[in-house]
Amino acid sequence: MNYIILNHLSENTGIYISGRTLSSQNFATAGSLQPNWPENVPSEPNESSFIVSIPFVAKFSFSGELLWCSYTHNIGAGIANIDANDNIYLFYDQNTASVGEIHPQALTKLSSDGGSIIETIPFTPETTYQNIYNDAVGNFYFFGKTSSTTIGTAGTFNPTRNTFFNTEPFVEKYDSNMNKLWGTYLTRDNPEYSGLNNTDIISVSDSGEMFFSGEVKTNGLSTSEVYQENLESLSNNY
């Protein structure tokens, strides 16, 4: 049994998919990063264990031919993004962890041929990264939630974490060499103004403009002369 979590389309080279599988034989391809089922994971059920699904990444040609496939046990359960050179970025998704798997709190950069790890970028344990986006010049935008007080930088929307909340949504921008350019929290540092609640980043343009959606519970977010300027119930979408 296999199921797909995410898929990404490269304009030049093919289609990438990721997901999880129970297939322990004849699944991953030779020469990939993890061509074999993990040795420490049972492939057959017994009295003390059961079969768990293992994450994988695969690439297909535009004509549907399988180019390569690799297990990604303890690396990442879903493709976060594909850069301009078709390198693959994998976040480990804690919510889909299988028995025996770990949460390394890192972003893994996998080569475009699925054969090697180029780089692993560690993150603080207080932070959960939910997605990564890129613009046309190779900058990266990390979106997630955190209890850390070190995300924000001066001159941004809000450099100070709102400690009224256990965790807070944020965005960070990095250049193509993974140097941090800026970071901002997405709520205001005031318990009476919750700002952007249940925030999701939905798109980043080629020029680096970010578009958000979510829910808000207080006035003060909207700009003038828009469709709806004021809160009209306990909470509104924005």
Side-chain angles (χ1 to χ4, degrees):
M1 179 187 72
N2 311 314
Y3 66 87
I4 295 172
I5 298 174
L6 294 171
N7 63 81
H8 288 261
L9 180 68
S10 168
E11 293 182 1
N12 302 314
T13 65
I15 303 165
Y16 294 85
I17 67 169
S18 61
R20 304 186 74 92
T21 183
L22 294 174
S23 300
S24 60
Q25 301 290 330
N26 303 316
F27 185 76
T29 54
S32 64
L33 181 67
Q34 292 182 7
N36 301 312
W37 186 265
E39 292 183 359
N40 62 331
V41 179
S43 59
E44 297 290 340
N46 56 50
E47 293 181 357
S48 60
S49 66
F50 58 92
I51 302 177
V52 297
S53 61
I54 297 298
F56 71 90
V57 173
K59 183 177 181 179
F60 287 80
S61 70
F62 290 120
S63 60
E65 175 190 5
L66 175 64
L67 301 178
W68 57 262
C69 179
S70 175
Y71 297 112
T72 55
H73 179 61
N74 284 346
I75 298 173
I79 298 173
N81 211 333
I82 307 290
D83 68 18
N85 296 316
D86 281 0
N87 298 310
I88 305 157
Y89 294 83
L90 299 170
F91 278 134
Y92 196 89
D93 185 352
Q94 194 173 21
N95 294 326
T96 58
S98 297
V99 175
E101 292 184 344
I102 60 174
H103 189 350
Q105 287 291 335
L107 176 70
T108 299
K109 184 178 180 180
L110 189 66
S111 63
S112 60
D113 61 2
S116 63
I117 292 176
I118 298 175
E119 185 179 15
T120 297
I121 304 164
F123 295 124
T124 62
E126 298 90 356
T127 300
T128 299
Y129 288 84
Q130 297 172 305
N131 221 325
I132 176 176
Y133 300 83
N134 59 280
D135 60 26
V137 296
N139 296 312
F140 291 94
Y141 301 80
F142 292 91
F143 171 74
K145 293 184 177 181
T146 186
S147 61
S148 171
T149 59
T150 62
I151 294 290
T153 56
T156 59
F157 172 72
N158 184 21
T160 305
R161 190 175 89 77
N162 190 332
T163 55
F164 180 76
F165 304 102
N166 292 327
T167 61
E168 186 173 357
F170 70 92
V171 172
E172 290 179 302
K173 182 178 180 179
Y174 287 76
D175 65 18
S176 58
N177 295 316
M178 288 300 168
N179 298 307
K180 183 174 176 176
L181 301 178
W182 55 258
T184 182
Y185 300 99
L186 296 177
T187 61
R188 290 297 194 190
D189 192 17
N190 183 338
E192 299 302 321
Y193 178 66
S194 55
L196 311 182
N197 298 328
N198 300 324
T199 303
D200 291 307
I201 189 169
I202 56 176
S203 180
V204 174
S205 70
D206 287 345
S207 60
E209 294 175 313
M210 288 165 284
F211 299 85
F212 296 87
S213 67
E215 180 186 18
V216 66
K217 296 183 178 180
T218 54
N219 273 310
L221 174 66
S222 67
T223 54
S224 60
E225 299 182 2
V226 293
Y227 172 71
Q228 180 182 329
E229 295 186 24
N230 298 306
L231 195 73
E232 295 186 358
S233 62
L234 293 177
S235 65
N236 281 177
N237 294 328
Y238 67 86

